[in-house]
Amino acid sequence: MTIASKMLRHSRKLRNAQNALQNEPAVLARYFSKDAGPFVGKRDDISRSHRCGLHGKRDGDSNIFVGGIPFKTKSFEGRSSIKDFDVIKIPSLGLVKTSISRKTTKMTIQVAGMRFNSTLSCMQAAPRRCYSSNSDLPPHQEIGMPSLSPTMTEGNIARWLKKEGDKISPGEVLCEVETDKATVEMECMEEGYLAKIIRGDGAKEIKVGEVIAITVEEEDDIAKFKDYEVSTAAAPAEVKTPSEPTSPVKEEPIKAPEQKVSKTEEVSYADDRIFSSPLARKLAEDNKVPLSRIKGTGPDGRIVKADIEDYLASTAKGVSKIEEAGAAQALAYVDIPNSQIRKVTASRLLLSKQTIPHYYLTVDTRVDKLMELRGQLNFLQEASGGKRISVNDLVIKAAALALRKVPQCNSSWMNDFIRQYHNVNINVAVQTDNGLFVPVIRDADKKGLSTIAEEVKHLAQKAKDNSLKPEEYDGGTFTVSNLGGPFGIKQFCAIINPPQSGILAVGSAERRVIPGSGPDQFEFGSFMSVTLSCDHRVIDGAIGAEWLKAFKGYIENPYSMLL
């Protein structure tokens, strides 16, 4: 009995291949020479040809295809025909050609997801829903790290709300994921059981798509994943079916190119000599100083003793300075790990400062009438049980109305065009222990002051609790950053939050003396400095000045914001 017949009749693995091929009718054997015809697919009707289209050639390499599996054979002697094969019947697999009567020196079989060697000892087949190459594992699903925000590339596992072995249903929260902007709950999409947690609580820097857990459909399959490791699960290999048989190509060793050195180079190396006095050479050898580093000051560039001494003196000074600097740097310190939000904030602000041409416009606005209006509104708010209105709430409203009046500043640079937004969504910078958050107030130009005050306080608290959802900070068209009220900063320049084209930096209010018409006439007034950072690609200087003029008008005449 030939090798091929033994392989096909006595392999327990191959008899079980019907599970992998899912009981589909297939033409499981066909012999191809170098000039064979088109490949017969597994759907072809074998009853139309009892000969199965067998072809042969006297010498050379050939291929036998079994259900789309290429048998690579070498050194066939003589001519092959249908008489050279026996036809056997394997249940649910169709016909298989065996009993190759010619001498075969090598045979391998490759299938998508399988590989057979001459002893058929390593058959690996992936079940339909199994992402592992281990055929002993039951069907399972690998849960990868999801992309929970448009800018997310990696995330951290804050904590798991489900344990291994727990039953899960669609809509239930599996774990809390720390994204680049907030901590988001990750919900389950299918019903089953949580078999294995790959990345536990506190896992850091998990790339999007990296496996974090394994789920199964049956409770009895949980125990089989106790020692499961993702690193041992090989991805299905991608197998390409050859369109036509090709003869083997002899591989020739690649010879390294010979380096040719010109005669002029050889002469230059030969003539490259260092001239020095015997005393200088002795001094250099004693101090292990290479003469090539020293420039001679003697006749014709000759290195003398003084040159060696000068070199040693300069080297000693350099070493002493390095030692002093090292001693000064030996300070006590502690390394604080960066949170995910801080990493993303750093990368985005660096990108903004490097790629966006910033320019800045500053104006002083008198806020006496604004403070008077705020006092009246807060009196009404306290009487009705509402939230108090802050100066920052009034600034947000004035900025939104100014954007509606000058829509060119409510735009983004899109390389090939400028996108101008119809919605006025204001991001508000909020500083927390975890980093800088910018929750968004949507359609701020259409909302009342009390509504803005409630939303700002609610979102600021969620930012401090690190529980903002993506829809609560994405989609802003302009940003307001206030360091004046809480910190007393008089004036500063903020960095634009891409893809926006403007950000308003609000300073603190201070009382100033305003001269009157007469020498002894004066009055006091409160002024607040604001600085507008603009993207010069989108907002020209005159447009930025026009927006500041509109903003100043609303701040100094705040009752116009109520109209």
Side-chain angles (χ1 to χ4, degrees):
M1 184 178 294
T2 61
I3 295 176
S5 178
K6 292 180 180 179
M7 290 166 58
L8 295 175
R9 293 189 178 185
H10 299 290
S11 171
R12 179 181 60 84
K13 300 285 186 178
L14 189 58
R15 287 201 303 272
N16 295 332
Q18 55 182 337
N19 298 328
L21 297 177
Q22 301 175 1
N23 300 325
E24 294 180 2
V27 175
L28 292 182
R30 185 172 182 180
Y31 174 82
F32 284 84
S33 66
K34 292 181 180 178
D35 53 353
F39 174 68
V40 178
K42 63 181 181 178
R43 297 286 184 182
D44 292 353
D45 189 0
I46 195 170
S47 62
R48 296 178 182 176
S49 175
H50 296 285
R51 296 174 56 193
C52 295
L54 297 177
H55 305 281
K57 202 168 184 178
R58 184 167 299 276
D59 294 318
D61 297 341
S62 306
N63 293 332
I64 300 176
F65 284 80
V66 181
I69 308 171
F71 283 64
K72 297 180 181 179
T73 64
K74 292 184 179 181
S75 303
F76 274 85
E77 299 178 359
R79 180 176 180 81
S80 299
S81 66
I82 191 169
K83 297 179 180 180
D84 297 331
F85 296 85
D86 294 335
V87 180
I88 62 173
K89 185 72 175 181
I90 297 179
S92 303
L93 290 181
L95 296 177
V96 177
K97 305 300 176 183
T98 61
S99 300
I100 302 174
S101 60
R102 299 295 181 258
K103 182 177 70 175
T104 305
T105 60
K106 183 178 180 181
M107 177 177 290
T108 59
I109 310 174
Q110 293 183 351
V111 185
M114 309 180 191
R115 180 172 179 86
F116 300 81
N117 59 15
S118 58
T119 60
L120 290 176
S121 62
C122 57
M123 173 178 145
Q124 295 179 345
R128 177 178 299 179
R129 296 192 60 197
C130 180
Y131 294 88
S132 170
S133 60
N134 191 347
S135 59
D136 296 334
L137 291 176
H140 60 279
Q141 184 175 5
E142 295 180 346
I143 305 299
M145 171 63 71
S147 178
L148 300 175
S149 71
T151 58
M152 178 179 174
T153 58
E154 60 182 24
N156 304 331
I157 300 294
R159 64 188 180 108
W160 283 90
L161 302 181
K162 292 290 185 178
K163 299 179 181 179
E164 292 184 358
D166 289 352
K167 184 176 181 180
I168 54 177
S169 302
E172 291 185 347
V173 178
L174 284 177
C175 62
E176 292 180 354
V177 178
E178 182 183 347
T179 70
D180 53 349
K181 295 182 178 179
T183 300
V184 183
E185 295 177 344
M186 176 181 169
E187 296 182 353
C188 178
M189 304 301 295
E190 296 184 9
E191 186 175 358
Y193 295 88
L194 184 59
K196 181 72 174 179
I197 295 177
I198 306 298
R199 305 300 296 269
D201 294 349
K204 303 288 185 181
E205 299 179 355
I206 305 173
K207 300 294 183 183
V208 171
E210 185 176 341
V211 179
I212 61 175
I214 302 294
T215 62
V216 294
E217 296 180 353
E218 303 296 336
E219 187 176 4
D220 297 337
D221 297 335
I222 296 176
K224 298 180 181 179
F225 292 87
K226 181 179 180 180
D227 300 327
Y228 181 86
E229 294 182 3
V230 178
S231 59
T232 61
E238 184 176 337
V239 179
K240 295 182 179 179
T241 303
S243 57
E244 58 182 11
T246 58
S247 59
V249 180
K250 295 183 179 179
E251 296 183 357
E252 297 182 358
I254 301 175
K255 297 182 179 180
E258 299 180 355
Q259 296 182 353
K260 297 182 180 180
V261 182
S262 62
K263 294 182 178 180
T264 56
E265 292 178 351
E266 294 177 357
V267 173
S268 64
Y269 283 119
D271 294 339
D272 190 9
R273 297 175 56 189
I274 299 175
F275 296 95
S276 60
S277 65
L279 184 58
R281 280 198 301 272
K282 181 68 169 60
L283 187 60
E285 291 176 1
D286 293 343
N287 293 276
K288 298 181 180 180
V289 176
L291 294 177
S292 58
R293 295 184 180 180
I294 301 174
K295 185 177 181 181
T297 59
D300 298 328
R302 189 183 185 90
I303 299 175
V304 295
K305 177 184 176 182
D307 299 329
I308 303 296
E309 292 175 346
D310 293 341
Y311 179 83
L312 293 174
S314 62
T315 305
K317 290 181 181 179
V319 171
S320 62
K321 289 181 179 180
I322 293 174
E323 292 177 352
E324 292 175 1
Q329 292 177 358
L331 303 175
Y333 62 89
V334 60
D335 294 331
I336 302 174
N338 291 323
S339 62
Q340 195 68 17
I341 178 64
R342 191 170 294 279
K343 290 180 182 179
V344 174
T345 300
S347 62
R348 287 175 61 83
L349 293 182
L350 179 64
L351 177 67
S352 173
K353 200 64 176 176
Q354 289 179 336
T355 61
I356 296 179
H358 286 63
Y359 74 93
Y360 310 96
L361 301 173
T362 302
V363 68
D364 293 335
T365 60
R366 188 169 181 177
V367 294
D368 293 310
K369 293 182 179 179
L370 185 76
M371 301 302 292
E372 181 182 352
L373 175 63
R374 175 174 174 263
Q376 295 175 2
L377 294 176
N378 282 335
F379 179 78
L380 297 175
Q381 287 289 100
E382 291 175 358
S384 61
K387 300 288 185 180
R388 289 179 59 86
I389 297 173
S390 66
V391 175
N392 199 49
D393 300 331
L394 294 164
V395 169
I396 293 171
K397 180 66 175 180
L401 294 176
L403 288 172
R404 190 170 67 182
K405 195 172 184 178
V406 186
Q408 294 93 326
C409 295
N410 195 42
S411 306
S412 294
W413 177 260
M414 307 300 290
N415 291 328
D416 296 331
F417 54 88
I418 294 175
R419 176 170 294 169
Q420 191 173 114
Y421 301 102
H422 298 301
N423 301 92
V424 179
N425 301 335
I426 305 294
N427 286 106
V428 183
V430 178
Q431 181 64 39
T432 69
D433 296 336
N434 298 318
L436 184 65
F437 290 85
V438 281
V440 61
I441 307 297
R442 301 186 183 276
D443 296 322
D445 58 322
K446 303 175 183 178
K447 293 179 178 178
L449 290 170
S450 61
T451 304
I452 293 175
E454 291 178 359
E455 289 190 12
V456 168
K457 289 179 174 59
H458 174 68
L459 293 174
Q461 186 59 45
K462 293 191 69 174
K464 293 177 181 179
D465 296 338
N466 199 21
S467 60
L468 283 174
K469 296 180 179 180
E471 60 270 16
E472 293 174 331
Y473 53 76
D474 282 337
T477 61
F478 190 86
T479 302
V480 172
S481 179
N482 190 342
L483 294 179
F487 303 104
I489 301 300
K490 181 179 178 181
Q491 187 265 339
F492 68 101
C493 299
I495 301 176
I496 296 173
N497 181 23
Q500 300 171 10
S501 59
I503 181 172
L504 184 68
V506 182
S508 62
E510 62 177 0
R511 286 181 64 81
R512 300 177 187 174
V513 177
I514 304 173
S517 56
D520 297 331
Q521 296 180 355
F522 62 90
E523 61 177 329
F524 292 96
S526 297
F527 289 85
M528 180 178 66
S529 295
V530 295
T531 301
L532 176 65
S533 303
C534 302
D535 183 349
H536 214 317
R537 300 172 300 177
V538 180
I539 304 174
D540 295 330
I543 300 299
E546 184 180 352
W547 185 90
L548 274 180
K549 181 180 178 181
F551 175 80
K552 182 177 180 179
Y554 286 118
I555 292 295
E556 295 185 346
N557 298 284
Y559 293 97
S560 60
M561 291 190 290
L562 306 178
L563 299 177

